[in-house]
Amino acid sequence: MTGSTRLRPDVVLMEIRMPDLDELAATRELTMLPAGPRVLILTTYDLDEYV
């Protein structure tokens, strides 16, 4: 993990709609860290089927 282990944030704001990244896998990795941060997920999707 890059900056997350170096900075040790308490909270991460994660947008799940980003090009070229697997945001859900990144969220899973962050939450599995010992004393990992809380992750707040947001998105710009407005259709319930995508959420």
Side-chain angles (χ1 to χ4, degrees), residues 1-47:
M1 189 71 47
T2 56
S4 64
T5 55
R6 208 171 52 243
L7 299 176
R8 300 185 193 274
D10 294 320
V11 177
V12 172
L13 180 60
M14 180 72 73
E15 165 61 72
I16 60 169
R17 187 177 180 184
M18 296 189 294
D20 304 321
L21 295 174
D22 186 350
E23 302 79 18
L24 296 178
T27 299
R28 194 173 301 114
E29 278 192 47
L30 286 170
T31 58
M32 291 175 63
L33 289 171
R38 300 284 183 152
V39 179
L40 178 61
I41 298 175
L42 66 92
T43 186
T44 57
Y45 289 119
D46 59 356
L47 299 175

